[in-house]
């Protein structure tokens, strides 16, 4: 089973955006050496703790630092951009790095109402998402001489499109268009089971995909010991709580006692939001990944995890890669 990595280019407390971008480059190089199939970056705006806002630019940087691994967006928030502009940007990337670029598409704004106003985005734009995905596929397709608007670069590059989602809507769009589907189970798992069911049941084969292809997003916090892994996870728990309470900031340092910074009353909702996670020492992480794969039957797994210390983050993804290699060998035996 393929395993991939989703990076938000986190900016930890005590560091700068420049540090975060250097860390992304280092993590990408190491991820390729660890056998990761894809390296995706996500579009978020007005977030001091996330440095991947100019997603296509960062994808180009990562692709230039690596050689074989696929690099792409997980995702581009399509209502923020004209399809033609997206096609030209990713067509350029695909021309520079042929056969290596992915384009995952979401319909969320990637920010709050103020961000939408700053980007000049009307909320109703999201309602046209399926049509704009189809338009993008056409722009990346074979040349059509009488087409009034064509993507140069972009035309003929056949950049693979993915639909991203955290609800049944994205599953329905991906199924109807015959596209691969990635579910945001790492922060919004409530509809996971139903979304995969809907996607698989109503999938229509397309020129690019004959059968459903579903990706499961999993948080991973792995370390030498369970105690250290759980401590690493407190960074993401704090960050998620701050985001939910309207106080986003740089990625907080881990703490020994989470109850000192996150009210007990907030923990049930936090635990539910982050329940698709593997946390612990190498053996525990492998066992949890086996259980998640057996339950949800994904075609691919993509790991993420907001960890404050860069070296600890790299090690966590290395442990996850090792676990996936053992799982794959066991399945092949």
């Amino acid at each position: 089973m393929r395993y991939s990595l989703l990076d938000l280019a986190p900016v930890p407390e005590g560091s700068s955006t420049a540090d975060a971008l250097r860390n992304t480059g280092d993590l990408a190089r190491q991820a390729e050496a660890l056998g990761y199939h894809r390296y995706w970056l996500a579009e978020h705006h007005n977030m001091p703790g996330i440095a991947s806002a100019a997603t296509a630019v960062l994808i180009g940087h990562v692709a230039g630092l690596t050689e074989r691994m696929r690099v792409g967006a997980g995702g581009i928030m399509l209502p923020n951009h004209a399809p033609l502009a997206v096609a030209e940007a990713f067509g350029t990337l695909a021309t520079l790095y042929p056969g290596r670029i992915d384009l995952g598409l979401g319909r969320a704004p990637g920010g709050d109402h103020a961000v939408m106003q700053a980007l000049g985005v009307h909320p109703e734009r999201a309602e046209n998402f399926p049509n704009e995905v189809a338009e993008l596929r056409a722009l990346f397709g074979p040349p059509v001489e009488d087409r009034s608007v064509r993507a140069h670069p972009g035309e003929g590059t056949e950049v693979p499109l993915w639909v991203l989602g955290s609800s049944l809507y994205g599953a329905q769009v991906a199924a109807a268009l015959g596209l691969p589907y990635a579910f945001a189970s790492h922060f919004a798992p409530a509809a996971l089971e139903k979304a995969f069911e809907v996607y698989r049941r109503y999938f229509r084969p397309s020129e690019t995909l004959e059968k459903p292809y579903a990706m499961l997003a999993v948080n991973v916090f792995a370390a030498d010991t369970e105690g250290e892994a759980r401590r690493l996870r407190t960074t993401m728990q704090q960050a998620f709580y701050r985001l939910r309470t309207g106080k986003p900031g740089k990625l907080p340092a881990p703490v020994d006692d989470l109850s000192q910074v996150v009210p007990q009353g907030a923990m049930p909702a936090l635990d539910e939001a982050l329940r698709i996670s593997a946390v612990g020492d190498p053996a525990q992480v492998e066992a949890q990944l086996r259980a998640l794969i057996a339950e949800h039957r994904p075609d691919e797994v993509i790991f993420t995890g907001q960890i404050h210390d860069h070296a600890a983050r790299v090690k966590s993804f290395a442990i996850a890669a090792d676990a996936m290699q053992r799982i794959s060998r066991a399945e092949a035996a």
Side-chain angles (χ1 to χ4, degrees), residues 38 40 59 70-73 76 86-105 133 136-142 151 153-162 179-180 208:
R38 309 176 203 276
W40 280 4
I59 288 170
R70 298 192 68 88
V71 186
I76 291 295
V86 175
E88 290 170 340
F90 279 80
T92 301
L93 289 168
T95 303
L96 289 169
Y97 307 102
R100 295 183 56 205
I101 301 299
D102 294 329
L103 175 52
L105 299 164
V133 174
L136 258 178
R137 182 152 62 178
L139 287 166
F140 286 129
E155 187 176 79
T157 56
E158 304 287 354
V159 173
L161 302 183
W162 288 69
L179 293 173
T208 55

Side-chain angles (χ1 to χ4, degrees), residues 307-319:
I307 294 175
H308 184 269
D309 178 72
H310 177 62
R313 187 165 174 250
V314 172
K315 184 172 183 177
S316 179
F317 287 129
I319 291 171

Side-chain angles (χ1 to χ4, degrees), residues 218-223 225-234 237 274-286 288-289 292 316:
V218 180
N219 298 298
V220 62
F221 303 95
T225 67
E226 179 183 2
E228 178 57 19
R230 293 192 175 280
R231 185 174 186 276
L232 293 177
R233 184 176 60 164
T234 63
Q237 290 170 311
L274 303 178
R275 67 178 169 86
I276 305 298
S277 298
V279 187
D281 62 29
Q284 290 171 316
V285 165
E286 181 179 343
Q288 291 167 38
L289 290 177
L292 287 169
S316 179

Side-chain angles (χ1 to χ4, degrees), residues 35-83:
Y36 279 87
H37 181 62
R38 309 176 203 276
Y39 195 99
W40 280 4
L41 295 138
E43 177 185 351
H44 292 274
H45 298 285
N46 199 32
M47 301 283 286
I50 295 176
S52 56
T55 316
V57 176
L58 198 50
I59 288 170
H61 175 63
V62 168
L65 293 173
T66 53
E67 297 178 357
R68 302 172 306 280
M69 183 172 59
R70 298 192 68 88
V71 186
I76 291 295
M77 300 299 104
L78 191 51
N80 294 346
H81 312 276

